[in-house]
Amino acid sequence: NLRQGPDYKPVTVATRLTFLSNEGDGFTRAAERCIGVGKCRSAEGGTMCPSYRATREERYSTRGRARLLGEMLRGEVITDGWQSEAVKEALEMCLACKGCRSDCPTHTDMASYKAEFLSHYYEQRSRPLQAHAMGRIGEWAPLAARFPRLANGLTQLPLFSSLVKAAGGLARQRPLPRFAARSFRSQFDALQRSRRDPERAAGMRRGDPVTLFPDTFSNYFRPQSALAAVRLLEASGARVSLPREKLCCGRPYYDVGMLDKAKASLQRIVAVLGLEIESGTPLVVLEPGCHSVFMDEMVKLLPGDAAAAKLAGLTVSLAEFLEKRGWQPRHIGGRALLHGHCHQKALGGTGADLALLEAAGIETAAPDTGCCGMAGSFGYRPETYDASVKIANLQLLPKIRETAAETLIVANGFSCREQIEGLAGRKTLHLAEALSAALG
């Protein structure tokens, strides 16, 4: 407590997330993890802090935001607490990339602080339309996916698309994602029904059980990634099943501070996967943003829940699962550029992905590409669209433009893929798709 002085006592505030640290528990002590080193002000290397790199403004650095939160909690300079516009403005420019969670020497977790602040800020205010349009995508996407041609007509045709963006408070320059003709879950169910060969069906039943989590983006927008993952998992000798009900991890809720909804989503997941958790069945998650929810936010929203803690330990990425099983792809050759999602880089890294690509004989470059700049809803907001594009042009897009046209662009994150395809015009693949060629 050298900075605060011998008489300092941290302010105690009620929070929705649980903040635990060696320095003391609670939101105040968590926000004070920042000791002013200023690594978040670096111009290159690592991920932290993309919004500072785009603006070079202190208030948009991890350190600047930590200082503002400290002033808010002390109430001496910032006197309007959770309703502070100065704090909200600084946090709205945070991409919640979790770069500071790994790159910062003190592991300041600004993504969690942002979600906590916004949950309190909007207790007394109505959320903007954009917050509902993107934050609740897990609620409306299943409805729109029932009529994919109509949904795509509204979101892809210029006139209708402009109206949809205006109604949802979305950036007019940003193309909207296209719904798949059929969801992954419907295709998986059809595949299971088609397996009428008794011998093959018996072989599938003998495999080691694994649950594949069909996130909103893999399910409704890019089912080919999840279908490729099923092929790889089965090739490794696993017996793949899906959760008995449609589930959403709630990742988009955190961006807009809807922590009550996020908590309810996680409680439902724990309840639906009760048998799998009890039996210790691994949960493979394809979307890095969803994976980080199970690894990070779940234990913060459901503290003391033994089943939730066990599920966090059972959650693995596709590459981690295949690596643990010792599965080796056949040699297919070629070249690839691997871009890691910020959450993946913060919580586990891309080492397993890189190892599998190289095992397939794919000469893979994994340069320091920083943050893609999309970061969920960040790249769709009119007020942050320009910053999103600028961040992409800092490291990622120059690296992609240097690669040959035949080089595969591998990125597991849905938002990363949308950013790359929208700004660079290059096709992207999930790791599962890149490796599926190794199955013939």
Side-chain angles (χ1 to χ4, degrees):
N1 295 335
L2 292 177
R3 185 176 70 214
Q4 293 92 343
D7 298 326
Y8 169 73
K9 293 182 179 180
V11 177
T12 301
V13 294
T15 58
R16 291 176 172 84
L17 292 166
T18 301
F19 297 93
L20 306 176
S21 70
N22 294 331
E23 295 79 17
D25 299 341
F27 184 75
T28 300
R29 295 302 277 163
E32 290 171 350
R33 292 186 70 89
C34 172
I35 57 174
V37 172
K39 188 178 179 182
C40 50
R41 291 172 54 90
S42 63
E44 58 184 15
T47 302
M48 180 182 70
C49 174
S51 54
Y52 172 77
R53 291 179 181 178
T55 63
R56 299 301 174 94
E57 291 191 42
E58 172 73 8
R59 60 179 171 160
Y60 298 142
S61 69
T62 303
R63 182 174 72 177
R65 295 185 180 103
R67 289 292 182 273
L68 284 167
L69 286 169
E71 291 175 358
M72 179 196 81
L73 291 164
R74 288 191 292 274
E76 299 166 352
V77 179
I78 296 177
T79 58
D80 41 3
W82 295 114
Q83 299 304 309
S84 169
E85 290 295 333
V87 176
K88 176 181 178 289
E89 183 184 3
L91 290 172
E92 287 281 18
M93 277 293 288
C94 171
L95 285 78
C97 67
K98 294 185 184 285
C100 50
R101 195 181 187 280
S102 58
D103 291 358
C104 172
T106 60
H107 307 296
T108 298
D109 188 6
M110 195 54 63
S112 294
Y113 309 163
K114 174 186 177 180
E116 186 65 48
F117 174 86
L118 291 177
S119 73
H120 294 276
Y121 179 84
Y122 284 114
E123 284 179 337
Q124 300 180 24
R125 303 168 186 264
S126 297
R127 286 184 170 83
L129 289 174
Q130 190 276 337
H132 293 282
M134 298 303 295
R136 303 177 70 172
I137 188 172
E139 298 177 40
W140 61 259
L143 302 177
R146 294 181 182 179
F147 311 98
R149 293 182 64 181
L150 174 60
N152 289 332
L154 292 174
T155 59
Q156 306 302 318
L157 297 176
L159 175 60
F160 293 119
S161 176
S162 298
L163 294 174
V164 169
K165 292 174 186 176
L170 307 177
R172 58 178 176 78
Q173 309 96 314
R174 178 69 68 183
L176 296 176
R178 179 183 292 274
F179 282 90
R182 294 179 62 195
S183 71
F184 160 67
R185 182 180 278 273
S186 68
Q187 295 185 65
F188 179 84
D189 291 343
L191 177 65
Q192 298 302 94
R193 290 193 299 270
S194 70
R195 288 173 168 167
R196 303 182 185 279
D197 179 6
E199 183 176 342
R200 183 178 184 186
M204 297 305 301
R205 286 195 295 270
R206 286 196 296 269
D208 299 323
V210 61
T211 302
L212 179 63
F213 187 80
D215 61 89
T216 297
F217 309 107
S218 298
N219 194 26
Y220 300 115
F221 297 99
R222 294 182 184 261
Q224 65 273 20
S225 300
L227 290 168
V230 171
R231 295 185 66 206
L232 292 171
L233 291 169
E234 291 181 347
S236 75
R239 173 165 48 90
V240 183
S241 64
L242 307 184
R244 290 178 292 280
E245 299 178 19
K246 295 177 183 178
L247 300 172
C248 176
C249 75
R251 164 56 62 195
Y253 290 141
Y254 297 92
D255 290 342
V256 294
M258 294 181 177
L259 293 185
D260 291 338
K261 286 184 172 291
K263 183 176 182 178
S265 293
L266 292 175
Q267 288 173 328
R268 183 167 175 241
I269 288 173
V270 173
V272 170
L273 296 179
L275 294 177
E276 289 83 352
I277 295 171
E278 184 178 353
S279 64
T281 302
L283 179 70
V284 173
V285 182
L286 302 178
E287 170 60 41
C290 298
H291 190 188
S292 70
V293 169
F294 289 100
M295 301 294 292
D296 189 13
E297 281 87 358
M298 184 163 63
V299 294
K300 292 176 181 175
L301 276 174
L302 304 177
D305 188 319
K310 185 175 181 181
L311 180 58
L314 293 170
T315 303
V316 291
S317 70
L318 175 66
E320 290 168 343
F321 181 83
L322 294 175
E323 187 177 56
K324 288 179 181 179
R325 292 182 65 81
W327 179 78
Q328 289 291 311
R330 71 178 178 87
H331 189 281
I332 53 177
R335 294 186 177 185
L337 183 148
L338 175 64
H339 169 71
H341 187 285
C342 290
H343 289 193
Q344 184 177 5
K345 289 184 284 192
L347 297 178
T350 58
D353 300 65
L354 181 61
L356 283 173
L357 288 168
E358 293 184 337
I362 302 175
E363 185 180 335
T364 305
D368 185 354
T369 47
C371 177
C372 77
M374 182 67 92
S377 62
F378 184 87
Y380 285 91
R381 292 167 48 212
E383 58 270 31
T384 51
Y385 172 81
D386 289 339
S388 170
V389 174
K390 187 171 184 179
I391 291 168
N393 278 291
L394 291 175
Q395 293 171 272
L396 174 60
L397 295 187
K399 293 291 185 183
I400 290 177
R401 293 181 183 122
E402 292 172 2
T403 64
E406 64 272 14
T407 300
L408 304 178
I409 307 297
V410 181
N412 293 339
F414 176 79
S415 58
C416 303
R417 298 179 67 179
E418 289 291 306
Q419 183 80 314
I420 293 169
E421 293 180 3
L423 298 181
R426 292 287 296 269
K427 179 183 177 181
T428 62
L429 297 173
H430 191 281
L431 174 73
E433 296 170 271
L435 291 176
S436 64
L439 301 177

